[in-house]
Amino acid sequence: MGAAFAVALSNQPARAGDPRYPDWPCAQAKVPEISVAAVWAGPPLGDAANQWKDDPKINALVTKVAARRLPLEDAEKEIAGFLSAAAANKATAGKLLFAGLFDTLNAQRASVMNGLERVMRKQREAAEKIRSDTVALQALQDATPPDQAKVDELGNQLVWETRIFEDRRRVVKFVCEVPTTIDQRLFALSRAIQQELD
């Protein structure tokens, strides 16, 4: 394992598309938060943004339909059923439901994005460690006579460090899709609510 490899490795996580967000590892542009106006064209929310947590039924439904493991189609059916049953209170229930989904999904999205940036910082540290260990390994190999036990130990350590680095990089690539998935879910659920209110 040569120093050139370690240098190449260490440069990989350092590319940030936007200088305002140097720790953002994704190809997608970082949009720190979604605005209500970007996903809601329904009636003005008024106090709904603060009141949705006070309604146990809304709270339970928000938790259920915000969960990405629930297929979107099923979430939309849950919303339609809930708002149909709300009858005369449909507009209020719809606003509360949207406010809850907006808060919940925006918080999930922020959590994922913060996690991605934390991993990016760890990747930089890991790359630096790989680079310094590679230099140390070369020095051990160049010594006369080389201490084979130390060479083997450091060589094995480098293999593990590199494997962890690569595994994390693959995970980051996958997790980079999650904020977009959350955006799409919020937009679709918002549209489902608005269709019921029209």
Side-chain angles (χ1 to χ4, degrees):
M1 191 173 306
F5 172 73
V7 170
L9 202 58
S10 68
N11 288 336
Q12 281 183 326
R15 289 175 300 206
D18 187 331
R20 292 174 301 170
Y21 311 114
D23 293 331
W24 182 244
C26 306
Q28 302 90 327
K30 181 180 180 186
V31 179
E33 55 186 50
I34 307 167
S35 70
V36 170
V39 289
W40 180 252
L45 294 178
D47 293 336
N50 302 319
Q51 294 173 346
W52 71 270
K53 290 179 185 166
D54 300 333
D55 186 320
K57 285 183 182 173
I58 295 285
N59 232 315
L61 185 60
V62 164
T63 300
K64 185 174 188 179
V65 301
R68 294 189 306 277
R69 67 181 169 276
L70 181 70
L72 195 52
E73 194 176 295
D74 294 347
E76 289 166 343
K77 285 179 189 167
E78 290 280 343
I79 288 169
F82 177 79
L83 292 177
S84 293
N89 294 327
K90 187 187 273 195
T92 301
K95 291 192 292 186
L96 289 170
L97 181 56
F98 170 75
L101 286 168
F102 182 80
D103 279 2
T104 302
L105 290 171
N106 234 351
Q108 284 180 14
R109 189 176 176 278
S111 174
V112 169
M113 293 170 87
N114 290 338
L116 280 164
E117 290 182 324
R118 242 188 340 269
V119 169
M120 179 65 163
R121 289 189 288 272
K122 281 185 182 171
Q123 284 292 79
R124 281 206 188 97
E125 290 167 14
E128 190 53 48
K129 178 95 168 74
I130 289 169
R131 186 170 40 210
S132 67
D133 284 353
T134 301
V135 170
L137 179 61
Q138 285 181 326
L140 282 173
Q141 289 168 332
D142 292 345
T144 34
D147 182 335
Q148 199 54 48
K150 284 185 178 174
V151 167
D152 292 346
E153 184 184 344
L154 191 50
N156 289 334
Q157 183 179 317
L158 261 169
V159 167
W160 277 111
E161 287 169 357
T162 306
R163 186 174 294 166
I164 290 165
F165 182 92
E166 288 298 328
D167 286 349
R168 262 199 218 129
R169 200 177 59 166
R170 277 190 289 278
V171 168
V172 163
K173 220 172 174 183
F174 169 75
V175 177
C176 276
E177 300 299 324
V178 174
T180 303
T181 304
I182 293 172
D183 293 351
Q184 291 166 346
R185 187 172 191 88
L186 178 57
F187 183 77
L189 296 178
S190 168
R191 193 177 53 212
I193 294 168
Q194 289 171 81
Q195 283 169 351
E196 292 299 317
L197 299 186
D198 288 344

